[in-house]
Amino acid sequence: MLKKYIIANWKMNLNLAETLSLAKKFKEKFAGFNQGEVVVCPSTLFLIEVNEILKGSIIKLGAQNVFWEEVGASYTGEVSPEMLAEAGCRYVILGHSERRKYLSENYEIINKKVRAVVKNEKLIPIVCIGESLKERKTDRRDFVLVEQLEQALSGIEVFGDQRIIIAYEPIWAIGTSTALEPAEAEYAHKIIKLALNDIVGMQAVSKNFSVIYGGSINSKNVKSFANLEDIDGLLVGGASLKIEEFYKVAKSIVK
Ligand code: PEP
């Protein structure tokens, strides 16, 4: 059975000193923890230094974004999949709803990024999908999820043991302290897995895909997510900034 993922998204919360201090705490606290795959995603700027700290630990490094081209003179300010791999990353978050909101990232762009990351083969993409409150209220959630998956994964071919993680993050549940009802999350994950079956085929889904949940998870509400069959892990924002809180989340979900 695959280990559950517990992915910390530190967003743009921490300065250099705070980032390095938290990375050290993660390394100490998770020494010997082998029930789950723990990933930390600091700011791009601090990846190399966090990688140095995490050497010799079980914690993997992830980035919060990437560009879709490999190299080039026309991409000022961007970072390629290979550059992230060189910095020590094993994972990369793609199409987070905050990027969709503030940077107008759409699923055409996200698809380019997913393709580039899959092609690079050194990184595991964490592809974010999720409905807005309006879409939820108008009963369009299932349709929206299927459409986002179809667009994000268009033309993707996975080979061998390559992994793709889909992070289901209802936009209205991110950073709000209102997590989705576990039963509802379970249902949404079933819809996602069924849609994936149609898009990439059942065999690839069970071999190559994981579906995780994100949105206001904390040490209290995590317990009701722990027994849900279709939830392969968690993407955690706010609760990943405090080591004790994040450790409790991780312990509860892998139990
Ligand atoms: C996120 O931003 O991916 C997230 C899940 O944040 P939070 O846990 O704070 O809702």
Side-chain angles (χ1 to χ4, degrees):
M1 215 175 96
L2 265 175
K3 284 181 179 175
K4 284 197 176 158
Y5 293 98
I6 315 111
I7 302 173
N9 179 9
W10 291 349
K11 310 196 191 191
M12 209 179 74
N13 278 303
L14 308 171
N15 65 24
L16 176 60
E18 290 161 344
T19 300
L20 301 187
S21 158
L22 189 56
K24 282 180 195 147
K25 287 182 189 158
F26 265 63
K27 183 177 181 177
E28 279 163 27
K29 193 78 191 176
F30 283 95
F33 181 94
N34 57 10
Q35 302 110 299
E37 176 86 336
V38 181
V39 182
V40 297
C41 304
S43 152
T44 311
L45 198 55
F46 307 143
L47 285 169
I48 292 175
E49 278 169 276
V50 173
N51 188 44
E52 280 305 311
I53 289 172
L54 295 182
K55 277 189 181 149
S57 95
I58 57 103
I59 300 171
K60 305 287 190 309
L61 189 64
Q64 299 175 18
N65 180 39
V66 73
F67 192 58
W68 61 81
E69 293 290 348
E70 283 168 28
V71 66
S74 315
Y75 313 124
T76 301
E78 295 299 335
V79 173
S80 73
E82 190 56 33
M83 289 170 179
L84 291 183
E86 270 193 282
C89 288
R90 184 77 187 104
Y91 292 84
V92 58
I93 299 172
L94 302 179
H96 193 283
S97 63
E98 287 150 9
R99 298 191 60 81
R100 294 183 339 247
K101 178 175 176 189
Y102 294 108
L103 293 148
S104 308
E105 258 193 35
N106 57 30
Y107 279 93
E108 202 181 311
I109 292 173
I110 296 164
N111 176 245
K112 287 185 189 182
K113 295 184 175 188
V114 180
R115 283 172 185 242
V117 169
V118 170
K119 186 170 160 223
N120 176 273
E121 288 185 16
K122 293 177 190 146
L123 298 170
I124 297 175
I126 303 161
V127 185
C128 298
I129 61 168
E131 81 284 2
S132 64
L133 190 57
K134 187 171 163 211
E135 288 161 340
R136 174 183 151 87
K137 282 188 173 156
T138 51
D139 269 346
R140 293 190 66 245
R141 196 255 323 264
D142 298 359
F143 173 76
V144 167
L145 295 182
V146 173
E147 196 177 58
Q148 290 175 339
L149 280 172
E150 280 173 351
Q151 289 176 8
L153 300 175
S154 168
I156 300 296
E157 281 185 71
V158 260
F159 296 102
D161 293 333
Q162 257 184 343
R163 293 218 68 73
I164 297 186
I165 300 173
I166 305 296
Y168 170 51
E169 299 208 299
I171 298 171
W172 52 272
I174 295 178
T176 56
S177 64
T178 314
L180 197 58
E181 283 301 318
E184 215 187 313
E186 177 83 332
Y187 175 78
H189 281 228
K190 280 205 165 73
I191 297 287
I192 291 166
K193 286 196 176 167
L194 287 172
L196 286 174
N197 284 344
D198 283 344
I199 298 166
V200 294
M202 255 162 85
Q203 227 185 334
V205 177
S206 59
K207 188 167 174 221
N208 305 97
F209 280 78
S210 299
V211 183
I212 66 174
Y213 170 78
S216 293
I217 285 290
N218 58 43
S219 61
K220 293 199 176 62
N221 61 25
V222 65
K223 292 185 184 75
S224 42
F225 285 81
N227 293 324
L228 304 180
E229 201 186 301
D230 278 308
I231 295 193
D232 304 319
L234 299 170
L235 180 53
V236 185
S240 74
L241 298 169
K242 294 200 177 85
I243 185 60
E244 292 303 331
E245 178 72 0
F246 186 73
Y247 188 70
K248 281 186 201 158
V249 168
K251 281 297 262 186
S252 302
I253 198 73
V254 300
K255 67 151 192 70

